[in-house]
Amino acid sequence: DDAVHREMLPRFERVQAIGDEIRARSLRAIAERINTAALTPGLPLVVFNPLNWSRTEPVRCTVSLPSNMVPRLRIVDSLGRPVPHQVLGRSHEVLAQERVEAAQVAERLRWLSHELETAWGVGFAAFRLRRSTLVVEAADPGVCSPDVVDRIAAVLRPRRGPMTVRIERSLLEIAFLAAEVPPVGYKTFVLTSGRTRTPAPSRGIVTVRGRTIENANIAVQVATDGGIVLRHRDTGRIYRGHVFEDTADAGDEYDYSPVGERAILTFGVKGRVETVQMGPVVGILRVHLPVRLPGGLEEHRRRRKRRHVECPVTVDVTIAAGSRRVEFKTTVENHAEDHRLRVLFPTGVTATHSAADSQFGVVERPVGHLLQERVGDLAELVHPGTPQDQNVHASVIVVVRVHDVQ
């Protein structure tokens, strides 16, 4: 619990918010100048690549679509060619609901359309009438219908009395494969509906069978204890690993100080594996591990307590279409104190040094050595574990990417 760190959090959030707004305005300014007149009718989706090499990767986006468009949903590139896509999730929300006299519904909807466009960036796409309830579907501008209010007015002309007007929208989280997006550039795709004679290309897509995820480059088998067997197709090399290691820590927020007890490993833990996403763009297997750990250290801080607590661990193992990497998202429900929980990836690589990035550069350190650091008359033992910000390299073969500081 660091008071200085807590004080900095609002500043970090403000900087992040300003940066996000500048980025959004800049990208919007570019997107508004793209000529989409010659594209397939539908909702244009612009994918930006800020890096200096061409990239082929899955892209995730959330869109608002009318319900009649969802069953025949498809995505095409700027030449009209089908692109592999996948619906990751759906949600539904009510934007407005009022009781309105039937004769005044059209006028009220015209006013609401301007409010919705300003507040939510949506327009009217379709409607359905059920007895005295009118449901109007809102959607993104590219798939709206400009005459919805006029058609509603015609249907309601003979009606009298009050009725319920409800404006709804359906949100779809979609993943699609954006192929060969140019360096420091963009590529435009179109979300549309209808049948296509040409199927989406299958090269590099993801398949999930049981506890195995694979694409054209790699295949991963996930065990019930969270361990994986990774096969690299081009070289035939096999990597085994992904095990959690928990050790006692008598240090503080700055230094790790072990107490000499044996580490607790998740080898053989009887967990459960479930399928979250089946592909073809993203495949996800989720592992639930019922981990039990000592509650903390004894008062003298030289031994762990005998009382154990539940610390469930959930791991999402993800492979995306065309990717050469495995992604892990780990969530720990921590109820223990005075401990360090790490995840280990045995590589089989012999290396004398590792190179890990930090906030301001890349630091090279020797591998597997205990070092002695002396400041004046004080000496501190430096353990083999070293921190990294996002990337760590141990030889030119293995690269591990993480999103949190250890």
Side-chain angles (χ1 to χ4, degrees):
D1 189 11
D2 190 329
V4 175
H5 179 70
R6 292 198 309 272
E7 184 181 352
M8 292 299 295
L9 288 177
R11 300 182 186 182
F12 294 153
E13 292 172 357
R14 183 182 178 188
V15 170
Q16 185 68 53
I18 293 173
D20 289 344
E21 180 63 22
I22 292 174
R23 178 183 61 184
R25 290 184 181 184
S26 301
L27 296 180
R28 190 181 303 118
I30 297 173
E32 289 173 349
R33 288 164 172 77
I34 298 175
N35 185 1
T36 61
L39 300 179
T40 302
L43 176 63
L45 304 172
V46 183
V47 178
F48 293 90
N49 176 15
L51 302 180
N52 60 347
W53 62 86
S54 177
R55 297 165 67 190
T56 297
E57 291 188 23
V59 172
R60 297 190 182 197
C61 62
T62 300
V63 294
S64 298
L65 301 177
S67 57
N68 61 356
M69 187 175 176
V70 175
R72 300 184 300 164
L73 176 69
R74 64 191 183 101
I75 296 178
V76 299
D77 63 13
S78 58
L79 299 178
R81 297 172 299 193
V83 173
H85 74 277
Q86 174 181 349
V87 176
L88 302 177
R90 303 182 183 186
S91 61
H92 178 82
E93 61 182 351
V94 176
L95 302 182
Q97 181 168 310
E98 300 179 1
R99 291 285 288 178
V100 185
E101 288 290 329
Q104 300 174 354
V105 167
E107 181 181 353
R108 182 60 177 163
L109 286 176
R110 288 190 178 93
W111 184 86
L112 284 173
S113 66
H114 297 291
E115 294 295 308
L116 292 173
E117 183 178 358
T118 301
W120 301 93
V122 296
F124 296 144
F127 73 94
R128 57 185 185 274
L129 183 62
R130 295 178 179 175
R131 297 181 181 178
S132 61
T133 299
L134 173 68
V135 178
V136 184
E137 295 187 43
D140 287 325
V143 290
C144 289
S145 179
D147 63 344
V148 168
V149 177
D150 292 336
R151 289 190 283 126
I152 290 174
V155 171
L156 297 182
R157 189 168 291 119
R159 285 182 174 259
R160 297 290 184 271
M163 60 188 307
T164 299
V165 177
R166 186 165 66 246
I167 301 175
E168 304 176 344
R169 72 167 175 173
S170 297
L171 296 172
L172 267 70
E173 184 184 3
I174 299 172
F176 64 94
L177 187 61
E180 299 177 357
V181 182
V184 197
Y186 64 85
K187 191 170 183 178
T188 306
F189 300 83
V190 178
L191 190 153
T192 183
S193 65
R195 297 180 179 180
T196 176
R197 296 180 180 180
T198 306
S202 60
R203 183 176 177 271
I205 65 171
V206 175
T207 58
V208 180
R209 298 184 181 90
R211 290 189 278 112
T212 300
I213 320 176
E214 55 187 317
N215 64 15
N217 302 311
I218 54 178
V220 172
Q221 184 177 358
V222 181
T224 55
D225 64 358
I228 68 164
V229 178
L230 167 64
R231 179 166 61 91
H232 187 253
R233 294 188 184 278
D234 289 347
T235 63
R237 292 195 64 174
I238 302 293
Y239 299 91
R240 304 175 188 272
H242 189 260
V243 59
F244 289 94
E245 174 207 70
D246 188 82
T247 54
D249 182 3
D252 52 27
E253 63 263 42
Y254 301 105
D255 295 301
Y256 168 63
S257 180
V259 300
E261 293 190 5
R262 181 179 297 179
I264 298 173
L265 301 174
T266 54
F267 281 128
V269 171
K270 294 183 179 179
R272 177 172 58 88
V273 181
E274 64 172 327
T275 301
V276 177
Q277 296 292 343
M278 293 286 294
V281 180
V282 177
I284 303 178
L285 292 177
R286 179 169 295 163
V287 187
H288 300 272
L289 297 176
V291 178
R292 286 177 55 83
L293 300 174
L297 292 177
E298 299 286 358
E299 188 174 351
H300 52 67
R301 300 185 66 79
R302 293 192 298 271
R303 186 175 61 245
R304 304 185 85 168
K305 294 179 179 179
R306 294 184 179 180
R307 180 181 63 87
H308 282 60
V309 295
E310 299 289 342
C311 295
V313 176
T314 303
V315 183
D316 285 356
V317 184
T318 302
I319 292 182
S323 178
R324 297 181 179 273
R325 67 177 181 263
V326 185
E327 300 176 11
F328 298 87
K329 179 183 178 182
T330 301
T331 304
V332 180
E333 188 177 327
N334 183 47
H335 300 285
E337 298 176 344
D338 307 317
H339 70 122
R340 182 185 71 174
L341 181 64
R342 302 193 298 175
V343 60
L344 308 179
F345 293 89
T347 63
V349 173
T350 301
T352 59
H353 289 75
S354 67
D357 73 332
S358 64
Q359 285 80 357
F360 303 106
V362 177
V363 182
E364 187 173 286
R365 301 181 179 94
V367 172
H369 295 285
L370 289 174
L371 304 177
Q372 195 83 12
E373 286 190 353
R374 183 172 296 276
V375 179
D377 294 331
L378 301 177
E380 182 176 3
L381 195 64
V382 181
H383 293 271
T386 56
Q388 80 275 0
D389 184 26
Q390 290 185 326
N391 296 284
V392 59
H393 302 253
S395 87
V396 296
I397 300 176
V398 178
V399 177
V400 179
R401 180 175 179 84
V402 299
H403 297 282
D404 294 310
V405 177
Q406 177 181 313

